[in-house]
Amino acid sequence: MTKVQKATNTPADKPADRLLVIACGMLAREILAVKEELGLDHLDLTCLPAEFHFYPDRIAPAMDKAISEAKARGYRDIFVGYADCGTGGMLDAVIEKHGVERMAGPHCFAFYQGMEAYRKVADDDMMSFYMTDFLCRQFDAFFMKPLGLDKHPELIADYFGNYEKLIYLAQTDDPELDKVAEDAAKLLGLTYERRPTGYGDLVGGLARAAGSVA
């Protein structure tokens, strides 16, 4: 069963007066940070499981259900906190069905960098393994244990042998996360690069969605 983090409203407001963002769990901390930074008090957040990062075929049906349930609760303004994220257009079909919008781009690694900047580096980054703040925090839970690398490090070559570089797209300046990314690059035998991106296009995307409701 899909677990969804439910949105909460302030007592004085009704769902019809608010914006609901239904997002990837990998973006929860960042969306809340942008909400606070921009003072988007009328924004509520609901997240689908972060593990869908590994199962993109689950995103569209789960989003379809989440949007339908949100509308039943009274939300009229809904924004999808996903890019395409490997759904091959399936998510866009759901978005069109419900008449909502999503973050532009193929994945969060693109919109964190900003779509214009990403287009310039996409070809050069083809053999690069991206990490974000979330993936640094969850490196063991998302990679080491599920892939069995904690017990069988010899599998690293099988999983990461085609990569040449690890690129850490840093949303914040956190020495502990920097160290995780650097250590991961060494463990995986990849050249290391750190790109400070901040929240990229996520800021503008949320601001535009919230502005249409305010």
Side-chain angles (χ1 to χ4, degrees), residues 49-127:
E51 67 183 27
F52 284 4
H53 177 76
F54 293 125
Y55 307 101
D57 59 305
R58 300 181 185 179
I59 296 174
M63 182 61 67
D64 189 12
K65 181 180 179 181
I67 293 175
S68 295
E69 291 177 347
K71 288 183 174 180
R73 296 201 305 272
Y75 282 100
R76 296 181 302 187
D77 297 287
I78 298 170
F79 183 73
V80 173
Y82 276 88
D84 177 74
C85 297
T87 68
M90 293 175 62
L91 182 58
D92 283 337
V94 171
I95 288 170
E96 183 177 356
K97 169 186 173 181
H98 289 284
V100 299
E101 296 184 3
R102 67 166 173 84
M103 285 297 304
H107 41 62
C108 66
F109 307 124
F111 67 67
Y112 270 145
Q113 297 182 80
M115 286 305 302
E116 183 176 349
Y118 173 72
R119 291 187 188 99
K120 296 178 181 178
V121 300
D123 289 342
D124 290 339
D125 286 357
M126 192 67 68
M127 307 302 291

Side-chain angles (χ1 to χ4, degrees), residues 130-143:
Y130 285 127
M131 289 186 67
T132 62
D133 283 13
F134 175 90
L135 291 174
C136 284
R137 293 189 183 94
Q138 302 295 329
F139 185 73
D140 285 343
F142 258 62
F143 297 109

Side-chain angles (χ1 to χ4, degrees), residues 119-194:
R119 291 187 188 99
K120 296 178 181 178
V121 300
D123 289 342
D124 290 339
D125 286 357
M126 192 67 68
M127 307 302 291
S128 296
F129 176 69
Y130 285 127
M131 289 186 67
T132 62
D133 283 13
F134 175 90
L135 291 174
C136 284
R137 293 189 183 94
Q138 302 295 329
F139 185 73
D140 285 343
F142 258 62
F143 297 109
M144 295 300 292
K145 293 180 180 179
L147 298 179
L149 303 182
D150 54 335
K151 297 180 179 179
H152 300 283
E154 67 274 10
L155 294 176
I156 289 176
D158 294 330
Y159 286 118
F160 297 92
N162 291 326
Y163 291 107
E164 298 174 351
K165 181 188 297 186
L166 185 151
I167 300 176
Y168 170 32
L169 306 175
Q171 283 71 70
T172 57
D173 291 318
D174 187 327
E176 292 186 5
L177 298 184
D178 291 345
K179 187 175 188 307
V180 171
E182 291 175 5
D183 289 348
K186 293 177 183 177
L187 175 68
L188 303 179
L190 304 176
T191 302
Y192 177 68
E193 179 182 342
R194 183 184 189 277

